[in-house]
Amino acid sequence: MTSARPGPNHIVLEAGEIARSLTRIAHELLEHNKGADRLVLLGVPTRGVPLAARLAARLGEIEGRTVPVGSLDVTMHRDDLRRQPMRSIAATDLPPGGIDDQIVVLVDDVLFSGRTIRAALDALSDLGRPRAVRLAVLVDRGHRELPIRADHVGKNLPTSFRERVRVSVAEIDGVDEVRIEGDL
Amino acid sequence: MRHLLSAADLDRAGAVEVLDVAARMAATQQREIKKLPTLRGRTVVNLFFEDSTRTRISFEAAAKRLSADVINFTARGSSVSKGESLKDTALTLEAMGADAVVVRHSASGAPHRLATAGWIRGAVINAGDGTHEHPTQALLDAFTLRRHLVGEDASGADLAGQTVAIVGDVLHSRVARSNVLLLHTLGARVVLVAPPTLLPVGVGRWPCATSYDLDGVLAGDVAGPLDAVMMLRVQGERMNAAYFPSRREYSRRYGLDARRLRLLPPHAIVMHPGPMNRGLEISAEAADSPRSTIVEQVSNGVAVRMAVLFLLLSAASGPASGPATEIAKEIVP
Amino acid sequence: MTAPGHHLLRGVRPLGGDPTDLLLRDGLIVEAGRGLAAAGARVIDGDGLVALPGLVDLHTHLREPGREDAETVETGTRAAALGGFTAVHAMANTEPVADTAGVVEQVWRLGREAGWTDVRPVGAVTVGLRGERLAELGTMADGAAAVRVFSDDGRCVGDPVLMRRALEYVKAFDGVIAQHPQDPRLTDGAQMHEGDVSAVLGLAGWPAVAEESIIARDVLLAEHVRSRLHLCHVSTAGSVEIIRWAKGRGIAVTAEVTPHHLLLTDEEVRSYDPVFKVNPPLRTADDVRALREALADGTIDVVATDHAPHAGEDKDCEWADAAEGMTGLETALSVVQATMLDTGLLDWAGIACRLSAAPARIGRVTGQGRPLAVGEPANVVLIDPAARRRVDPSAMATTGRNTPYRGRELPGAVVATFYRGHPTVCDGALATRREES
């Protein structure tokens, strides 16, 4: 008997699961860092930015204080600009306190080859010297090409290399969901 | 966009994109570490057939801050002193693997020729050709205008509703040609002010107004209240070809001095592409006044040229796909 | 067995009229009419072909002596034959300048040795084209080359006194001054037509008035001294008006237009491709329209190619450094067909007049530009007006690769050219040179 593998283009995470994942990650972060002290959340554009904002809000609710949050554009640090169609450059906004000696949590939607995060680490090193850098992602789909791993994962999602993982967030796409789109 | 040869190569969206990217680039230049790895391994050649230290330095700084390898190639190329031909120079650059060629030439159309004759494959950026165009100067002027007149956070905005006067030797000015095209594309009103001898035959077909009366334009009687006035460099030698009778008369009729400065609305800015002829087209009071953006134009030049290099060189230049790419992760709505 | 030099052109249409046969023998047209007997002549099937008198170019740059890398008398006259020409006028701006009997006779002799067309040297008006003193016009006229057309082409005879004297002086031997009308001061550094396009491209302008002011001056001079005046490559609507006025007054002025000024406009310069750089420059669509009308109504008398081949490096460069000029011999007839015949402005008889009879008359060329009639010299070109061809510079006989029509499809093709009864072109390809008998 074959398992009923859903057809191409199916939803793997719905809004409720996404919300629960973010709440869980928020708790993990607090536990791991023993509170929100020194935490700075930086979302990686495009969809890492609203996810970081939501995570910061969760942390704020739990801790009763504001957690600094910003965005980190990595476009100009990518090593694959030649291979990719041109991407527009997004904003890098650091919280007023900066990142020196802080614990920076990079937030992205999907972890795949690891190249985006490598670029983010390079970009960070131009901006200051954090005490530590952590990585939180909503989905880890495997297929790493660099020695990079996430500290906090919403959902591990085994995929075929040729599949596409599409994350939608309400702030940008009007809906919260994660889809797998079939072989291209 | 493969090359940047003319301000007309940019439509409104393309021009706004350059300004937006330039704003991001400018932000990185406020940091302690100004250098970005973006164009590592890429080669940018500054091919200057005409002296222009300030433009060459600006492009060089832009390329280096994006980590490109920069080769400066200063050549003499005029019909008077026949050096190596443009074609042979181009073939040399091609053999060196230039990804982008920034070209300055005394002959109008030389960058166009370089881009279209099939001699090289790299992107060609016009850094000023004869009396034709100087598109990156127009972009940095537009960037400066947008910052001052629209605001620091003007992402996505054009220059609609702004009125800019460009004053001086329009006939011989590549800056004026590029600015008329670009400012029009961005929705601004342009009025050219010059003695009739220094306006080209055919200017009536340009998307701008013209006037011979500087006082009237500054006072808002001709094109409405100004938001900016851009003074063009005038070469004193022009009087030998009877374009005007004397430096003194030119200055009296078309120079921006303290009295004329006071005719401008309080918010209006004073621009000059440099180098200035103080005392001819602009007085010290005007050049050094708080409304002058002349020094700021220089630093904006680096950001704008970084943006142009980035946009031309990061555009897909080879096959996009391959097993090591993240194509399946990229979410392009 | 066919007799050499005997050709029967079967079923050709002289001047586009009804089909007939023409028998060529010993350099003459000896019989005309339907159903002629071959009588040992080689028969050419002329079905559908138009027959015109061999074309005569009043304005050709053969570059020899001095710039044999750009063209020679041999290569230039091969190109001429392929274009349907049986006579060309070789311009004087060679190195050395054709301002002495020695140089013009050298060119004349090279033309005879080449054997593809008559080569009629043009003598310089002033020594070295410098516009300072008259060259020995009479000596050139009296010599073997029998020069009748004098021109400083490439330079204008700017000095009004010198121009007056030249106009007067050549009357003694029925010569004509062919003026290159260009006020030098108004065109100092000029790169293209001054107008809307030059304003955008930032190229220094060559204003129409620089041509028109010289034409106005020279027609008045010609009237005053009662001389013949010929105007080279007229390019503006204003020039046409002045010439029309002058002819109305009975002034003995003739004028030529080039094929490229009948077809191309300054819009082409937007490419900055120096193949479009030419002097006088390409003008506007309004000028093109006026020139076509003037050619049709006879205000402009002739089409002259101003064939100006250049070495590759003189065009493979930036616009300002590029040489001025375009090749034209091998495309002239097609361009005239496209602009004048296919538009209904001229019929084939009109084209024969503008490209053969009138230039021969102005240049005082004997044995050229004659009617296709019995007893006349057998200078005949056969044209397939229904053919279409794509212009390929590398397939041309001229050394110059600077045709502005590269890749363009043009109507009509020269199928055969008979030069004094000898086929220099057969089946659209070069045949053999005519050997002096």
Side-chain angles (χ1 to χ4, degrees), chain C residues 92 97-102 104-105 121-129 131-153 157 161-178 227-228:
Chain C
V97 171
D99 57 2
T100 62
V104 294
E105 279 165 33
V122 174
V125 178
T126 65
V127 174
L129 310 177
E132 293 163 358
R133 58 195 176 88
L134 291 183
E136 290 184 349
L137 309 179
T139 311
M140 290 189 270
D142 294 342
V147 176
R148 290 294 177 273
V149 180
F150 298 90
S151 181
D152 277 1
D153 180 62
V157 181
V161 175
L162 201 59
M163 186 62 184
R164 171 194 170 147
R165 299 286 182 248
L167 286 168
E168 289 175 306
Y169 192 76
V170 297
K171 285 202 285 188
F173 34 86
D174 197 22
V176 65
I177 303 296
S227 291
R228 284 208 288 151

Side-chain angles (χ1 to χ4, degrees), chain C residues 7-14 18-24 29-38 372-374:
Chain C
H7 292 87
L8 178 64
L9 314 185
R10 179 83 77 195
V12 300
R13 296 161 45 214
D18 293 333
T20 187
D21 301 346
L22 295 176
L23 186 63
L24 316 183
I29 300 171
V30 294
E31 278 189 76
R34 284 172 187 262
L36 298 183
L372 295 176
V374 172

Side-chain angles (χ1 to χ4, degrees), chain A residues 45 99 155:
Chain A
I99 58 168
K155 185 174 176 65

Side-chain angles (χ1 to χ4, degrees), chain C residues 71-222:
Chain C
E71 192 84 289
T72 61
V73 172
E74 172 73 23
T75 58
T77 53
R78 283 173 178 239
L82 280 166
F85 291 89
T86 52
V88 297
H89 287 76
M91 271 298 168
N93 61 340
T94 49
E95 300 165 25
V97 171
D99 57 2
T100 62
V103 177
V104 294
E105 279 165 33
Q106 181 198 358
V107 172
W108 175 76
R109 189 173 43 74
L110 287 168
R112 280 174 63 100
E113 287 166 8
W116 298 103
T117 67
D118 282 356
V119 173
R120 303 272 306 161
V122 174
V125 178
T126 65
V127 174
L129 310 177
R130 281 192 295 274
E132 293 163 358
R133 58 195 176 88
L134 291 183
E136 290 184 349
L137 309 179
T139 311
M140 290 189 270
D142 294 342
V147 176
R148 290 294 177 273
V149 180
F150 298 90
S151 181
D152 277 1
D153 180 62
R155 307 252 188 99
C156 182
V157 181
D159 180 339
V161 175
L162 201 59
M163 186 62 184
R164 171 194 170 147
R165 299 286 182 248
L167 286 168
E168 289 175 306
Y169 192 76
V170 297
K171 285 202 285 188
F173 34 86
D174 197 22
V176 65
I177 303 296
Q179 173 68 299
H180 170 113
Q182 175 182 5
D183 185 298
R185 288 282 293 138
L186 281 171
T187 53
D188 188 24
Q191 296 292 327
M192 69 171 294
H193 173 67
E194 182 168 57
D196 294 343
V197 180
S198 68
V200 170
L201 297 184
L203 289 171
W206 198 131
V209 63
E211 174 174 305
E212 293 153 6
S213 59
I214 294 292
I215 290 179
R217 181 198 76 178
D218 286 355
V219 295
L220 293 172
L221 277 177

Side-chain angles (χ1 to χ4, degrees), chain C residues 15 52 295-296 301-303 336 340-341 345-358:
Chain C
L15 309 184
L52 300 185
L295 184 64
D301 305 83
V302 309
V303 175
V336 172
M340 301 301 295
L341 187 97
L345 288 166
L346 280 181
D347 55 14
W348 285 110
I351 288 175
C353 175
R354 308 303 189 275
L355 275 158
S356 181

Side-chain angles (χ1 to χ4, degrees), chain B residues 214-296:
Chain B
L214 181 56
D215 284 339
V217 169
L218 292 176
D221 299 340
V222 176
L226 294 186
D227 298 292
V229 58
M230 184 184 300
M231 304 307 295
L232 300 174
R233 178 179 170 81
V234 173
Q235 290 174 330
E237 308 89 86
R238 299 284 180 217
M239 75 182 199
N240 298 329
Y243 288 106
F244 48 86
S246 68
R247 294 171 60 97
R248 194 174 55 182
E249 176 159 322
Y250 181 87
S251 177
R252 193 176 293 151
R253 292 179 66 85
Y254 294 100
L256 186 66
D257 56 16
R259 178 186 67 80
R260 290 202 166 108
L261 203 56
R262 286 193 294 275
L263 296 176
L264 283 171
H267 74 282
I269 60 173
V270 173
M271 310 175 77
H272 193 297
M276 287 181 280
N277 289 306
R278 285 177 186 252
L280 182 50
E281 74 266 6
I282 192 164
S283 72
E285 298 99 305
D288 301 332
S289 83
R291 33 172 91 209
S292 160
T293 60
I294 295 166
V295 175
E296 184 193 330

Side-chain angles (χ1 to χ4, degrees), chain C residues 304-340:
Chain C
T305 65
D306 197 4
H307 175 79
H310 286 291
E313 66 270 20
D314 292 329
K315 284 290 191 182
D316 224 1
C317 57
E318 50 274 39
W319 181 276
D321 276 0
E324 293 162 329
M326 306 170 162
T327 63
L329 287 169
E330 289 163 86
T331 47
L333 191 55
S334 288
V335 172
V336 172
Q337 182 181 336
T339 57
M340 301 301 295

